Amino acid sequence: MSLSNPIPLTDVDTEKKFRNFVEITDKIDPIAARVYNTYLSMHTHQCVDYVKQRYDVWLKFNHAQMSVYDALEQLSTIVDESDPDVDVPNVYHAFQTAESIRKQYPNDDWFHLVGLIHDVGKIMALYGEPQWSTVGDTFPVGCRFSDEIVYSSTTFKDNPDIKKPLYSSQYGIYTPNCGLENVMMSWGHDEYLYRVLKNHQQCTLPDEAFYIIRYHSFYPWHTNGAYMYLCNEKDLQMLKLVQKFQKFDLYTKDDEALPDLDELKGYYQNLIKKYIPGVLSW
Ligand SMILES: O[C@H]1[C@H](O)[C@@H](O)[C@H](O)[C@@H](O)[C@H]1O
Ligand SMILES: [Fe+2]
Ligand SMILES: [Fe+2]
């Protein structure tokens, strides 16, 4: 599926510095400490065995029954602890992302909907999942952790997998260019929402939408160029689309100009009716 002619991205705030993962010093601001500690826990605990165990817990889809819109509204109670750029509930970020995509690609309504829902998997945090296992950038487990992972120089030292020769080799349990669909990613909101939607037979979003949802947090890959040796043709083709999405996901973050959610509700409820109707198992 090709996206119709883009209008150039004009409303990007070039003054503000996004994704500024500052190094930890003893005089640190509370947000920077919150972000660092989230990644420290994530990089300490996310390993092959841990991810398998999360599959057991979450892929039974027995936590809740609700529509996508109801799940989206639950984001109004979640502040993402991994994000140095957002300190308000995540529901605003959902509408900011969606609305900016809608402005640039008015005809690609499925893309608007991806903007709206891409982070809905974060509702896991409301059902007992720690934030370090819900939010933040993702990375493959079962092979060597890349230097391109944020804070990786100090946060992986207690991860059980770095002591295992197979898991800490370049390819680990994978084969060259095996394709990301065959790679086990650290557990988080991307994989979770992807699986929830796959499990919902009435979901008619295109393959591109599923792909963006599944890999939008894989910054070491889509932005820093790591792990290319695990990618197949499909991944390289989809990379451009994920990068396009990433601009909207990141540069529209704004804690001051908050969208009026009631005003936008009707448009997006119709999109949900069109592409993801019904009650989903979460
Ligand atoms: O802190 C953010 C946030 O958790 C996003 O939802 C995720 O997609 C990004 O990768 C991460 O950097
Ligand atoms: Fe996300
Ligand atoms: Fe996001």
Side-chain angles (χ1 to χ4, degrees):
M1 174 157 323
S2 71
L3 294 166
S4 58
N5 277 343
I7 301 160
L9 201 60
T10 49
D11 52 359
V12 168
D13 180 358
T14 46
E15 298 298 306
K16 192 174 159 194
K17 202 162 175 241
F18 290 90
R19 291 180 61 83
N20 183 21
F21 293 105
V22 290
E23 282 311 323
I24 297 299
T25 63
D26 41 6
K27 268 210 196 141
I28 198 152
D29 78 90
I31 300 241
R34 178 194 80 184
V35 172
Y36 181 80
N37 288 327
T38 305
Y39 279 107
L40 179 61
S41 300
M42 181 196 294
H43 297 170
T44 301
H45 300 294
Q46 294 260 6
C47 60
V48 171
D49 287 347
Y50 178 77
V51 174
K52 284 185 182 159
Q53 181 206 319
R54 296 339 277 160
Y55 289 172
D56 277 351
V57 171
W58 287 101
L59 303 184
K60 297 193 175 87
F61 309 110
N62 60 0
H63 293 83
Q65 293 285 319
M66 63 187 153
S67 70
V68 168
Y69 203 86
D70 288 347
L72 180 78
E73 285 190 323
Q74 294 200 339
L75 290 184
S76 65
T77 63
I78 297 173
V79 176
D80 182 328
E81 294 171 5
S82 72
D83 196 334
D85 303 312
V86 182
D87 199 26
V88 293
N90 232 245
V91 69
Y92 294 109
H93 164 64
F95 281 93
Q96 286 168 337
T97 309
E99 281 291 282
S100 65
I101 294 175
R102 186 178 168 194
K103 250 188 240 144
Q104 306 286 328
Y105 294 98
N107 301 322
D108 300 293
D109 62 355
W110 66 269
F111 201 25
H112 313 166
L113 186 54
V114 169
L116 186 78
I117 67 170
H118 72 283
D119 278 337
V120 165
K122 291 179 188 173
I123 63 159
M124 280 192 293
L126 301 176
Y127 299 87
E129 195 72 355
Q131 286 236 0
W132 57 260
S133 187
T134 300
V135 300
D137 295 358
T138 56
F139 52 89
V141 296
C143 63
R144 186 184 302 147
F145 302 123
S146 164
D147 293 345
E148 297 298 336
I149 300 169
V150 61
Y151 292 129
S152 58
S153 61
T154 58
T155 48
F156 279 105
K157 57 186 187 317
D158 294 323
N159 186 297
D161 285 357
I162 62 166
K163 291 184 202 92
K164 300 183 178 157
L166 177 60
Y167 293 171
S168 52
S169 64
Q170 183 187 6
Y171 289 102
I173 57 178
Y174 310 111
T175 52
N177 306 106
C178 60
L180 294 181
E181 65 184 343
N182 296 307
V183 169
M184 199 188 290
M185 300 295 292
S186 56
W187 181 249
H189 64 285
D190 297 40
E191 185 72 18
Y192 177 52
L193 181 63
Y194 168 78
R195 300 281 195 129
V196 167
L197 295 176
K198 276 272 151 196
N199 185 52
H200 187 63
Q201 280 176 8
Q202 299 168 69
C203 178
T204 56
L205 282 170
D207 203 32
E208 284 82 350
F210 281 97
Y211 196 93
I212 295 169
I213 288 166
R214 196 175 193 186
Y215 298 110
H216 76 272
S217 301
F218 191 10
Y219 270 82
W221 171 65
H222 64 58
T223 298
N224 301 350
Y227 297 108
M228 288 300 170
Y229 49 85
L230 296 177
C231 295
N232 62 15
E233 271 303 307
K234 177 184 174 175
D235 297 317
L236 299 180
Q237 256 166 35
M238 289 287 192
L239 174 58
K240 296 178 201 80
L241 193 58
V242 177
Q243 289 170 336
K244 198 170 279 176
F245 176 80
Q246 182 273 335
K247 305 276 179 287
F248 295 101
D249 188 12
L250 183 62
Y251 299 118
T252 61
K253 289 176 178 174
D254 184 343
D255 282 4
E256 258 107 69
L258 298 179
D260 182 341
L261 307 191
D262 286 335
E263 209 174 90
L264 299 171
K265 200 172 171 170
Y267 176 73
Y268 289 101
Q269 277 179 330
N270 273 331
L271 285 190
I272 291 172
K273 216 199 246 159
K274 177 171 172 188
Y275 289 106
I276 327 173
V279 172
L280 291 77
S281 303
W282 298 85

